[in-house]
Amino acid sequence: MTTSEQGPAIMRGPSFDPGAPDGAFYLQPAGLLSGSLAAHARRKGTAEWLAGGPLAFTGCTVIRRRGTERSETLFGLADLRHWAADAGLAAALEDRLRRLSRPRAAVAGLRVDRPIIMGIINVTPDSFSDGGDFAEAGAAIAQGVALLEAGADILDIGGESTRPGAAPVGVEAEIGRVVPVVRALAARGAVISIDTRRAAVMTAAVEAGARLINDITALTGDPESLAVAARSGVAVVLMHMQGDPQTMQQDPRYVDAPLDLYDHFVERIAACEAAGLASDRLVLDPGIGFGKTVEHNFQIMERLALFHDLGCPILLGVSRKSFIGRVSRGEEAKRRFPGSIAAGLAGLSQGVQILRVHDVAETFQARAVWERLATCGQTPDQPAPA
């Protein structure tokens, strides 16, 4: 059951008090502004930059839950601080607001104060969108060069299909697929991400020049992957997936999909830090389409801003995903480009820092227009927290 209300009054749920000062609450930025409105609100003190900008937030939704019950209260920033003071949470709130506001660490040497485009290269015969198109190393390398010329900031290279129902690939086969491509494109100066859930592949790819590990299991799919990632010194994408590729779409269930993902990331960030993998090397990916129904995907997309409270850059992978066709006309993967752009821009408008895409040139153009609008009226030294 969910109840909601707009502040400043503290809302009472059906059988528990969400205003009780137990310190446990989710904080979702609300009232997002961009362009000159964001800059003006920040100067007036009525908004804070979101993850360093160019978006700003003028309020937050405080979410509390117990079991299946959830309550929400929407506050402007001033009322939010009054609520926190009354609840004995003033210091905790200010810490959370600083975490929401501060600029994010660079990813693989790339600043994230503007959206980053990650181009996809599947060196596989059976990926859902382009399986077989770039299965041979020469074709994959040529595609990488083309994506760089089209505007990709990062190339994400994978040698195992993780589409629903996909069978696993042997470690040596996966290494044989990706390493020649990683080495060749890294030698050209490209920033390379290795898309793998296996520690041995991570090691081989990093040695060949990869500067980012992108793991759909959030470093849980191989008992050695957490230690390998920590030692590697490179950035790491932690993706959420319920189940595994063979079973994940059979019957995915959540109590509350966005909040369940948030809790999952809290646990994985803590595990990484305990293993010596600092949070400033982490990127979070909600894993759209990985163990999620269409409805789950949209619930998560609606609340992407929630994950900024974790303090890490956010990666969004919606390119050509099946949910696009399911809410449209059932288009096949390669005909889902317009929906991919729409979903990606929706993510940027909630502060997502990285878009993982197939169609780089088109996304580059869409990003250019979005960025010009988002920064219109902001001076070169903005955005930056005061």
Side-chain angles (χ1 to χ4, degrees), residues 27 45 62 82 206 221 268 341 351 382:
L27 199 62
V62 174
H82 290 315
V206 170
R268 294 311 304 152
I341 289 290
Q382 296 172 333

Side-chain angles (χ1 to χ4, degrees), residues 267-351:
E267 294 174 358
R268 294 311 304 152
I269 291 170
C272 288
E273 290 181 323
L277 179 51
S279 62
D280 62 4
R281 287 169 52 195
L282 301 178
V283 177
L284 307 179
D285 177 356
I288 298 298
F290 284 79
K292 299 165 184 76
T293 65
V294 171
E295 185 61 26
H296 292 147
N297 290 328
F298 279 102
Q299 289 169 1
I300 294 162
M301 289 281 294
E302 182 190 18
R303 292 187 178 270
L304 286 170
L306 173 71
F307 303 114
H308 289 295
D309 187 30
L310 295 164
C312 301
I314 300 170
L315 182 151
L316 183 64
V318 291
S319 182
R320 302 184 183 180
K321 293 286 178 75
S322 63
F323 79 92
I324 296 170
R326 290 179 183 175
V327 299
S328 182
R329 298 176 177 174
E331 295 90 346
E332 62 182 17
K334 291 183 179 180
R335 297 183 61 199
R336 296 174 190 155
F337 159 68
S340 301
I341 289 290
L345 292 178
L348 295 186
S349 295
Q350 291 196 59

Side-chain angles (χ1 to χ4, degrees), residues 234-289:
V234 304
V236 178
V237 178
L238 303 177
M239 197 195 82
H240 176 273
M241 174 174 62
Q242 188 179 98
D244 59 57
Q246 289 184 292
T247 63
M248 62 186 181
Q249 291 304 111
Q250 291 179 4
D251 187 24
R253 297 188 182 190
Y254 298 87
V255 175
D256 184 302
L259 301 188
D260 290 355
L261 264 65
Y262 183 101
D263 292 345
H264 168 82
F265 284 132
V266 168
E267 294 174 358
R268 294 311 304 152
I269 291 170
C272 288
E273 290 181 323
L277 179 51
S279 62
D280 62 4
R281 287 169 52 195
L282 301 178
V283 177
L284 307 179
D285 177 356
I288 298 298

Side-chain angles (χ1 to χ4, degrees), residues 27-188:
L27 199 62
Q28 178 175 333
L32 300 184
L33 302 175
S34 63
S36 58
L37 290 177
H40 178 72
R42 185 66 186 91
R43 287 193 298 270
K44 296 280 287 184
T46 57
E48 300 284 352
W49 293 118
L50 179 63
L55 305 182
F57 61 100
T58 60
C60 287
T61 299
V62 174
I63 306 171
R64 292 176 180 265
R65 69 167 171 170
R66 182 173 299 165
T68 59
E69 298 176 354
R70 185 186 72 193
S71 66
E72 301 183 13
T73 310
L74 175 62
F75 294 101
L77 288 178
D79 287 332
L80 177 64
R81 289 184 164 101
H82 290 315
W83 166 81
D86 291 342
L89 298 172
L93 174 66
E94 291 306 321
D95 182 64
R96 301 278 285 275
L97 290 176
R98 284 191 293 270
R99 190 163 65 193
L100 281 170
S101 300
R102 68 172 180 248
R104 299 304 184 239
V107 175
L110 299 174
R111 293 176 52 172
V112 294
D113 53 354
R114 64 173 305 193
I116 288 174
I117 297 174
M118 173 185 278
I120 300 168
I121 305 175
N122 293 313
V123 194
T124 61
D126 56 346
S127 292
F128 83 94
S129 174
D130 54 6
D133 289 355
F134 313 111
E136 189 271 328
I141 293 166
Q143 174 67 358
V145 172
L147 293 182
L148 291 172
E149 292 174 349
D153 302 297
I154 300 174
L155 298 178
D156 190 44
I157 299 170
E160 178 188 38
S161 173
T162 52
R163 61 178 172 76
V169 172
V171 172
E172 293 305 318
E174 187 179 351
I175 290 174
R177 291 175 179 179
V178 300
V179 165
V181 182
V182 171
R183 182 176 291 114
L185 292 170
R188 291 175 173 264

